[in-house]
Amino acid sequence: GLFDEIQEGGAVYRLSVSGTIDVTGNEAAGGIAAVNGGAIVSCDFSGSVSGASCVGGIVGQNTKTGNVTDCRS
């Protein structure tokens, strides 16, 4: 994704991303972020995301502190 990791306390608002994400190996893959521990709000991703594990249109892996609100993919 655009971000490898959004850490706890970090936030991304009103972001629009398009493209193709293709991750090899056992890494998380997401259109906005591979791993989210913060907040992703009102974002959208258009395109494709592929990988071996933890794959999602917005976020590949959302941690216990991560929040995704009002997003589309």
Side-chain angles (χ1 to χ4, degrees):
L2 183 61
F3 300 102
D4 181 49
E5 180 178 4
I6 299 169
Q7 297 182 348
E8 184 175 358
V12 175
Y13 295 94
R14 295 179 296 279
L15 180 67
S16 181
V17 176
S18 64
T20 301
I21 311 295
D22 186 11
V23 175
T24 58
N26 246 356
E27 302 294 321
I32 303 292
V35 179
N36 177 45
I40 300 176
V41 181
S42 299
C43 294
D44 64 81
F45 174 78
S46 62
S48 65
V49 182
S50 60
S53 66
C54 298
V55 176
I58 299 294
V59 174
Q61 180 180 4
N62 204 49
T63 70
K64 64 181 179 181
T65 60
N67 291 300
V68 178
T69 306
D70 192 31
C71 294
R72 293 178 293 285
S73 77

